[in-house]
Amino acid sequence: MRERARRAPNNWLHVVDPAHDSTGGVPAEAVIGRYLVDARGEITDQYVPNPRYQPREITFENDLESAMYLVQRGYEEKQTLVDAVLAADLVLPADPAREPRGHLVMRGDIVDVFASEQARPRDWPPYWHRFRGVELAVVVDALERPVTLLVTAQGGVQFEIPGELLVEGLRAVILD
């Protein structure tokens, strides 16, 4: 907020609820309030609450979805994702002709990973298996080629994580 204020002296700085989707512009009910910015670009104590503000409740299925949201909104660093994936219970596509949890279904070098049952696409084949994040890191490490994890949460929030980052994250936890 301070950086935005420095770029807009003698103006109002609007505080937007990050739970609202503002991709198509910020609706009035998403603005919590506003602060006056002085001529030096400093935020003053003058605050005006927005009477039209409507809080939006966000529900997450697990800590991974919460972390993905926080990283997407810029409240957490991307390294948080690696730690959250390692600790998570993940949902991955499965091949029913192969042993459960002993293989990865891949699209080229992409491994689709879903943060929860609610995040998985309903129009995909009905075969799924669960991996703990640390188990997935072990399987990725055993592959003979680099892969990218495409991690998806509810609402279509997605992040690409290079497989080697997940493996390095696991090694760091083991060595600590």
Side-chain angles (χ1 to χ4, degrees):
M1 287 177 53
R2 287 188 178 102
E3 180 58 36
R4 285 185 15 227
R6 281 190 274 283
R7 293 184 305 220
N10 294 321
N11 214 329
W12 288 95
L13 179 66
H14 292 89
V15 180
V16 178
D17 184 340
H20 284 267
D21 181 15
S22 58
T23 54
V26 178
E29 58 273 2
V31 178
I32 299 169
R34 61 187 183 163
Y35 285 98
L36 183 62
V37 178
D38 67 18
R40 297 181 323 244
E42 298 291 325
I43 300 171
T44 68
D45 290 340
Q46 189 171 353
Y47 175 77
V48 179
N50 178 8
R52 293 177 56 192
Y53 169 61
Q54 296 177 358
R56 182 165 170 230
E57 185 177 329
I58 300 174
T59 56
F60 302 108
E61 287 299 313
N62 53 45
D63 290 343
L64 175 55
E65 286 191 345
S66 177
M68 291 175 71
Y69 173 83
L70 293 172
V71 170
Q72 181 192 42
R73 300 291 186 180
Y75 297 116
E76 287 286 344
E77 297 295 320
K78 288 189 178 180
Q79 179 58 39
T80 302
L81 287 177
V82 173
D83 297 338
V85 169
L86 285 169
D89 186 23
L90 308 167
V91 180
L92 281 76
D95 179 346
R98 298 178 69 192
E99 178 183 335
R101 297 167 36 107
H103 70 282
L104 297 176
V105 174
M106 298 175 53
R107 293 182 297 117
D109 66 344
I110 301 292
V111 177
D112 292 293
V113 177
F114 299 93
S116 67
E117 285 285 335
Q118 291 71 22
R120 66 180 179 82
R122 300 295 174 231
D123 60 345
W124 281 30
Y127 307 107
W128 301 91
H129 50 179
R130 292 188 169 275
F131 278 88
R132 293 292 302 166
V134 294
E135 294 171 313
L136 180 58
V138 170
V139 173
V140 166
D141 191 35
L143 295 175
E144 295 180 6
R145 62 185 176 131
V147 297
T148 300
L149 307 176
L150 180 60
V151 184
T152 304
Q154 292 182 70
V157 175
Q158 290 186 324
F159 285 97
E160 289 186 359
I161 300 175
E164 60 266 15
L165 280 182
L166 192 67
V167 173
E168 288 172 13
L170 177 58
R171 287 188 179 125
V173 169
I174 292 171
L175 295 176
D176 280 349

mmCIF file of all heavy atoms in Angstrom, residues 47-76:
data_model
loop_
_atom_site.group_PDB
_atom_site.id
_atom_site.type_symbol
_atom_site.label_atom_id
_atom_site.label_comp_id
_atom_site.label_asym_id
_atom_site.label_seq_id
_atom_site.Cartn_x
_atom_site.Cartn_y
_atom_site.Cartn_z
ATOM 1 N N TYR A 47 -9.036 8.324 7.287
ATOM 2 C CA TYR A 47 -9.603 7.102 6.715
ATOM 3 C C TYR A 47 -11.110 7.258 6.596
ATOM 4 O O TYR A 47 -11.765 7.764 7.510
ATOM 5 C CB TYR A 47 -9.273 5.891 7.607
ATOM 6 C CG TYR A 47 -9.930 4.604 7.159
ATOM 7 C CD1 TYR A 47 -9.426 3.892 6.079
ATOM 8 C CD2 TYR A 47 -11.060 4.119 7.807
ATOM 9 C CE1 TYR A 47 -10.020 2.716 5.650
ATOM 10 C CE2 TYR A 47 -11.663 2.939 7.393
ATOM 11 C CZ TYR A 47 -11.139 2.246 6.314
ATOM 12 O OH TYR A 47 -11.744 1.081 5.899
ATOM 13 N N VAL A 48 -11.643 6.804 5.468
ATOM 14 C CA VAL A 48 -13.091 6.855 5.244
ATOM 15 C C VAL A 48 -13.557 5.437 4.936
ATOM 16 O O VAL A 48 -13.183 4.875 3.896
ATOM 17 C CB VAL A 48 -13.445 7.794 4.072
ATOM 18 C CG1 VAL A 48 -14.946 7.806 3.835
ATOM 19 C CG2 VAL A 48 -12.910 9.193 4.319
ATOM 20 N N PRO A 49 -14.364 4.837 5.823
ATOM 21 C CA PRO A 49 -14.876 3.489 5.522
ATOM 22 C C PRO A 49 -15.914 3.567 4.402
ATOM 23 O O PRO A 49 -16.585 4.573 4.224
ATOM 24 C CB PRO A 49 -15.511 3.043 6.835
ATOM 25 C CG PRO A 49 -15.810 4.303 7.580
ATOM 26 C CD PRO A 49 -14.807 5.336 7.112
ATOM 27 N N ASN A 50 -16.023 2.474 3.653
ATOM 28 C CA ASN A 50 -16.987 2.400 2.557
ATOM 29 C C ASN A 50 -18.276 1.779 3.085
ATOM 30 O O ASN A 50 -18.291 0.602 3.430
ATOM 31 C CB ASN A 50 -16.415 1.556 1.416
ATOM 32 C CG ASN A 50 -17.373 1.387 0.266
ATOM 33 O OD1 ASN A 50 -18.428 2.008 0.219
ATOM 34 N ND2 ASN A 50 -17.004 0.535 -0.662
ATOM 35 N N PRO A 51 -19.370 2.528 3.113
ATOM 36 C CA PRO A 51 -20.631 1.963 3.617
ATOM 37 C C PRO A 51 -21.208 0.885 2.693
ATOM 38 O O PRO A 51 -22.040 0.089 3.117
ATOM 39 C CB PRO A 51 -21.563 3.179 3.694
ATOM 40 C CG PRO A 51 -20.984 4.166 2.743
ATOM 41 C CD PRO A 51 -19.500 3.915 2.713
ATOM 42 N N ARG A 52 -20.739 0.814 1.452
ATOM 43 C CA ARG A 52 -21.246 -0.193 0.511
ATOM 44 C C ARG A 52 -20.422 -1.480 0.542
ATOM 45 O O ARG A 52 -20.747 -2.443 -0.152
ATOM 46 C CB ARG A 52 -21.242 0.383 -0.914
ATOM 47 C CG ARG A 52 -22.252 1.524 -1.054
ATOM 48 C CD ARG A 52 -22.230 2.154 -2.414
ATOM 49 N NE ARG A 52 -22.458 1.190 -3.473
ATOM 50 C CZ ARG A 52 -22.261 1.441 -4.751
ATOM 51 N NH1 ARG A 52 -21.846 2.625 -5.136
ATOM 52 N NH2 ARG A 52 -22.488 0.513 -5.659
ATOM 53 N N TYR A 53 -19.342 -1.505 1.334
ATOM 54 C CA TYR A 53 -18.473 -2.685 1.393
ATOM 55 C C TYR A 53 -19.242 -3.901 1.888
ATOM 56 O O TYR A 53 -19.984 -3.839 2.860
ATOM 57 C CB TYR A 53 -17.275 -2.419 2.306
ATOM 58 C CG TYR A 53 -16.471 -3.651 2.629
ATOM 59 C CD1 TYR A 53 -15.849 -4.377 1.617
ATOM 60 C CD2 TYR A 53 -16.330 -4.096 3.931
ATOM 61 C CE1 TYR A 53 -15.116 -5.513 1.904
ATOM 62 C CE2 TYR A 53 -15.595 -5.225 4.232
ATOM 63 C CZ TYR A 53 -14.991 -5.928 3.216
ATOM 64 O OH TYR A 53 -14.267 -7.063 3.502
ATOM 65 N N GLN A 54 -19.056 -5.023 1.170
ATOM 66 C CA GLN A 54 -19.662 -6.289 1.556
ATOM 67 C C GLN A 54 -18.570 -7.349 1.643
ATOM 68 O O GLN A 54 -18.033 -7.760 0.615
ATOM 69 C CB GLN A 54 -20.713 -6.716 0.528
ATOM 70 C CG GLN A 54 -21.882 -5.780 0.436
ATOM 71 C CD GLN A 54 -22.863 -6.189 -0.640
ATOM 72 O OE1 GLN A 54 -22.661 -7.155 -1.362
ATOM 73 N NE2 GLN A 54 -23.940 -5.444 -0.746
ATOM 74 N N PRO A 55 -18.212 -7.778 2.859
ATOM 75 C CA PRO A 55 -17.173 -8.804 2.987
ATOM 76 C C PRO A 55 -17.572 -10.082 2.257
ATOM 77 O O PRO A 55 -18.739 -10.449 2.225
ATOM 78 C CB PRO A 55 -17.070 -9.054 4.486
ATOM 79 C CG PRO A 55 -17.895 -8.035 5.142
ATOM 80 C CD PRO A 55 -18.784 -7.399 4.131
ATOM 81 N N ARG A 56 -16.583 -10.724 1.691
ATOM 82 C CA ARG A 56 -16.829 -11.978 0.987
ATOM 83 C C ARG A 56 -16.102 -13.092 1.727
ATOM 84 O O ARG A 56 -14.901 -13.000 1.972
ATOM 85 C CB ARG A 56 -16.305 -11.885 -0.442
ATOM 86 C CG ARG A 56 -16.568 -13.130 -1.229
ATOM 87 C CD ARG A 56 -16.370 -12.882 -2.712
ATOM 88 N NE ARG A 56 -16.397 -14.169 -3.368
ATOM 89 C CZ ARG A 56 -15.494 -14.571 -4.218
ATOM 90 N NH1 ARG A 56 -14.523 -13.784 -4.580
ATOM 91 N NH2 ARG A 56 -15.563 -15.764 -4.746
ATOM 92 N N GLU A 57 -16.827 -14.109 2.081
ATOM 93 C CA GLU A 57 -16.237 -15.226 2.804
ATOM 94 C C GLU A 57 -15.553 -16.169 1.820
ATOM 95 O O GLU A 57 -16.095 -16.503 0.777
ATOM 96 C CB GLU A 57 -17.321 -15.989 3.562
ATOM 97 C CG GLU A 57 -16.765 -17.089 4.418
ATOM 98 C CD GLU A 57 -17.848 -17.776 5.219
ATOM 99 O OE1 GLU A 57 -18.826 -17.127 5.586
ATOM 100 O OE2 GLU A 57 -17.675 -18.974 5.472
ATOM 101 N N ILE A 58 -14.358 -16.570 2.180
ATOM 102 C CA ILE A 58 -13.611 -17.521 1.367
ATOM 103 C C ILE A 58 -13.457 -18.789 2.180
ATOM 104 O O ILE A 58 -13.106 -18.743 3.357
ATOM 105 C CB ILE A 58 -12.207 -16.988 1.035
ATOM 106 C CG1 ILE A 58 -12.307 -15.683 0.278
ATOM 107 C CG2 ILE A 58 -11.424 -17.995 0.239
ATOM 108 C CD1 ILE A 58 -10.969 -15.040 0.043
ATOM 109 N N THR A 59 -13.732 -19.907 1.553
ATOM 110 C CA THR A 59 -13.522 -21.177 2.242
ATOM 111 C C THR A 59 -12.515 -22.000 1.445
ATOM 112 O O THR A 59 -12.579 -22.051 0.222
ATOM 113 C CB THR A 59 -14.833 -21.966 2.387
ATOM 114 O OG1 THR A 59 -15.401 -22.158 1.101
ATOM 115 C CG2 THR A 59 -15.815 -21.228 3.271
ATOM 116 N N PHE A 60 -11.607 -22.587 2.158
ATOM 117 C CA PHE A 60 -10.588 -23.427 1.547
ATOM 118 C C PHE A 60 -10.760 -24.839 2.077
ATOM 119 O O PHE A 60 -11.135 -25.037 3.227
ATOM 120 C CB PHE A 60 -9.182 -22.926 1.882
ATOM 121 C CG PHE A 60 -8.939 -21.509 1.457
ATOM 122 C CD1 PHE A 60 -8.844 -20.499 2.392
ATOM 123 C CD2 PHE A 60 -8.803 -21.183 0.119
ATOM 124 C CE1 PHE A 60 -8.619 -19.189 2.001
ATOM 125 C CE2 PHE A 60 -8.586 -19.886 -0.275
ATOM 126 C CZ PHE A 60 -8.494 -18.884 0.668
ATOM 127 N N GLU A 61 -10.454 -25.803 1.252
ATOM 128 C CA GLU A 61 -10.544 -27.194 1.674
ATOM 129 C C GLU A 61 -9.370 -27.593 2.561
ATOM 130 O O GLU A 61 -9.486 -28.505 3.362
ATOM 131 C CB GLU A 61 -10.591 -28.116 0.455
ATOM 132 C CG GLU A 61 -11.898 -28.069 -0.283
ATOM 133 C CD GLU A 61 -13.070 -28.498 0.570
ATOM 134 O OE1 GLU A 61 -12.984 -29.538 1.242
ATOM 135 O OE2 GLU A 61 -14.075 -27.782 0.581
ATOM 136 N N ASN A 62 -8.223 -26.913 2.379
ATOM 137 C CA ASN A 62 -7.026 -27.318 3.113
ATOM 138 C C ASN A 62 -5.995 -26.199 3.098
ATOM 139 O O ASN A 62 -6.201 -25.140 2.485
ATOM 140 C CB ASN A 62 -6.454 -28.612 2.511
ATOM 141 C CG ASN A 62 -6.236 -28.482 1.011
ATOM 142 O OD1 ASN A 62 -5.717 -27.489 0.529
ATOM 143 N ND2 ASN A 62 -6.644 -29.500 0.266
ATOM 144 N N ASP A 63 -4.870 -26.443 3.765
ATOM 145 C CA ASP A 63 -3.811 -25.437 3.858
ATOM 146 C C ASP A 63 -3.176 -25.132 2.507
ATOM 147 O O ASP A 63 -2.734 -24.007 2.269
ATOM 148 C CB ASP A 63 -2.732 -25.897 4.845
ATOM 149 C CG ASP A 63 -3.222 -25.889 6.285
ATOM 150 O OD1 ASP A 63 -4.252 -25.241 6.573
ATOM 151 O OD2 ASP A 63 -2.581 -26.549 7.128
ATOM 152 N N LEU A 64 -3.116 -26.115 1.615
ATOM 153 C CA LEU A 64 -2.535 -25.873 0.298
ATOM 154 C C LEU A 64 -3.366 -24.859 -0.473
ATOM 155 O O LEU A 64 -2.822 -23.920 -1.061
ATOM 156 C CB LEU A 64 -2.401 -27.173 -0.498
ATOM 157 C CG LEU A 64 -1.911 -27.035 -1.947
ATOM 158 C CD1 LEU A 64 -0.587 -26.287 -2.039
ATOM 159 C CD2 LEU A 64 -1.816 -28.410 -2.602
ATOM 160 N N GLU A 65 -4.674 -25.020 -0.480
ATOM 161 C CA GLU A 65 -5.516 -24.048 -1.191
ATOM 162 C C GLU A 65 -5.376 -22.659 -0.575
ATOM 163 O O GLU A 65 -5.315 -21.661 -1.287
ATOM 164 C CB GLU A 65 -6.983 -24.492 -1.194
ATOM 165 C CG GLU A 65 -7.232 -25.627 -2.150
ATOM 166 C CD GLU A 65 -8.710 -25.913 -2.366
ATOM 167 O OE1 GLU A 65 -9.554 -25.436 -1.584
ATOM 168 O OE2 GLU A 65 -9.006 -26.618 -3.343
ATOM 169 N N SER A 66 -5.284 -22.598 0.734
ATOM 170 C CA SER A 66 -5.086 -21.319 1.407
ATOM 171 C C SER A 66 -3.761 -20.683 0.994
ATOM 172 O O SER A 66 -3.692 -19.496 0.667
ATOM 173 C CB SER A 66 -5.126 -21.528 2.921
ATOM 174 O OG SER A 66 -4.865 -20.337 3.603
ATOM 175 N N ALA A 67 -2.700 -21.472 0.979
ATOM 176 C CA ALA A 67 -1.378 -20.965 0.573
ATOM 177 C C ALA A 67 -1.392 -20.492 -0.879
ATOM 178 O O ALA A 67 -0.809 -19.450 -1.200
ATOM 179 C CB ALA A 67 -0.318 -22.042 0.771
ATOM 180 N N MET A 68 -2.059 -21.236 -1.750
ATOM 181 C CA MET A 68 -2.120 -20.849 -3.159
ATOM 182 C C MET A 68 -2.814 -19.498 -3.314
ATOM 183 O O MET A 68 -2.380 -18.642 -4.081
ATOM 184 C CB MET A 68 -2.826 -21.925 -3.986
ATOM 185 C CG MET A 68 -2.010 -23.201 -4.104
ATOM 186 S SD MET A 68 -2.872 -24.527 -4.960
ATOM 187 C CE MET A 68 -2.879 -23.911 -6.651
ATOM 188 N N TYR A 69 -3.874 -19.299 -2.567
ATOM 189 C CA TYR A 69 -4.597 -18.029 -2.601
ATOM 190 C C TYR A 69 -3.681 -16.896 -2.128
ATOM 191 O O TYR A 69 -3.606 -15.839 -2.749
ATOM 192 C CB TYR A 69 -5.844 -18.131 -1.727
ATOM 193 C CG TYR A 69 -6.562 -16.824 -1.565
ATOM 194 C CD1 TYR A 69 -7.452 -16.373 -2.533
ATOM 195 C CD2 TYR A 69 -6.355 -16.031 -0.446
ATOM 196 C CE1 TYR A 69 -8.108 -15.165 -2.384
ATOM 197 C CE2 TYR A 69 -7.006 -14.827 -0.294
ATOM 198 C CZ TYR A 69 -7.877 -14.400 -1.268
ATOM 199 O OH TYR A 69 -8.515 -13.202 -1.120
ATOM 200 N N LEU A 70 -2.988 -17.111 -1.010
ATOM 201 C CA LEU A 70 -2.120 -16.067 -0.458
ATOM 202 C C LEU A 70 -0.972 -15.724 -1.402
ATOM 203 O O LEU A 70 -0.618 -14.556 -1.557
ATOM 204 C CB LEU A 70 -1.587 -16.498 0.909
ATOM 205 C CG LEU A 70 -2.643 -16.601 2.014
ATOM 206 C CD1 LEU A 70 -2.037 -17.231 3.265
ATOM 207 C CD2 LEU A 70 -3.247 -15.240 2.322
ATOM 208 N N VAL A 71 -0.389 -16.726 -2.052
ATOM 209 C CA VAL A 71 0.688 -16.469 -3.011
ATOM 210 C C VAL A 71 0.135 -15.731 -4.225
ATOM 211 O O VAL A 71 0.737 -14.766 -4.701
ATOM 212 C CB VAL A 71 1.398 -17.780 -3.417
ATOM 213 C CG1 VAL A 71 2.353 -17.554 -4.580
ATOM 214 C CG2 VAL A 71 2.142 -18.368 -2.225
ATOM 215 N N GLN A 72 -1.012 -16.165 -4.720
ATOM 216 C CA GLN A 72 -1.608 -15.513 -5.893
ATOM 217 C C GLN A 72 -1.870 -14.032 -5.619
ATOM 218 O O GLN A 72 -1.657 -13.192 -6.494
ATOM 219 C CB GLN A 72 -2.910 -16.201 -6.285
ATOM 220 C CG GLN A 72 -3.553 -15.571 -7.515
ATOM 221 C CD GLN A 72 -4.959 -16.046 -7.749
ATOM 222 O OE1 GLN A 72 -5.738 -16.172 -6.815
ATOM 223 N NE2 GLN A 72 -5.281 -16.310 -8.996
ATOM 224 N N ARG A 73 -2.293 -13.706 -4.407
ATOM 225 C CA ARG A 73 -2.604 -12.323 -4.048
ATOM 226 C C ARG A 73 -1.372 -11.537 -3.607
ATOM 227 O O ARG A 73 -1.470 -10.363 -3.301
ATOM 228 C CB ARG A 73 -3.638 -12.285 -2.926
ATOM 229 C CG ARG A 73 -4.949 -12.936 -3.278
ATOM 230 C CD ARG A 73 -5.711 -12.156 -4.296
ATOM 231 N NE ARG A 73 -7.028 -12.758 -4.481
ATOM 232 C CZ ARG A 73 -7.928 -12.310 -5.297
ATOM 233 N NH1 ARG A 73 -7.689 -11.259 -6.018
ATOM 234 N NH2 ARG A 73 -9.078 -12.914 -5.416
ATOM 235 N N GLY A 74 -0.209 -12.198 -3.541
ATOM 236 C CA GLY A 74 1.018 -11.500 -3.187
ATOM 237 C C GLY A 74 1.277 -11.379 -1.701
ATOM 238 O O GLY A 74 2.156 -10.638 -1.280
ATOM 239 N N TYR A 75 0.548 -12.128 -0.877
ATOM 240 C CA TYR A 75 0.733 -12.059 0.568
ATOM 241 C C TYR A 75 1.784 -13.039 1.068
ATOM 242 O O TYR A 75 2.214 -12.950 2.211
ATOM 243 C CB TYR A 75 -0.585 -12.323 1.296
ATOM 244 C CG TYR A 75 -1.639 -11.279 0.995
ATOM 245 C CD1 TYR A 75 -2.808 -11.618 0.345
ATOM 246 C CD2 TYR A 75 -1.439 -9.952 1.343
ATOM 247 C CE1 TYR A 75 -3.771 -10.660 0.056
ATOM 248 C CE2 TYR A 75 -2.384 -8.987 1.056
ATOM 249 C CZ TYR A 75 -3.550 -9.353 0.407
ATOM 250 O OH TYR A 75 -4.481 -8.400 0.127
ATOM 251 N N GLU A 76 2.155 -14.000 0.257
ATOM 252 C CA GLU A 76 3.169 -14.992 0.612
ATOM 253 C C GLU A 76 4.111 -15.172 -0.565
ATOM 254 O O GLU A 76 3.744 -14.925 -1.715
ATOM 255 C CB GLU A 76 2.525 -16.354 0.947
ATOM 256 C CG GLU A 76 1.802 -16.407 2.259
ATOM 257 C CD GLU A 76 2.723 -16.442 3.474
ATOM 258 O OE1 GLU A 76 3.931 -16.730 3.311
ATOM 259 O OE2 GLU A 76 2.239 -16.168 4.570
#
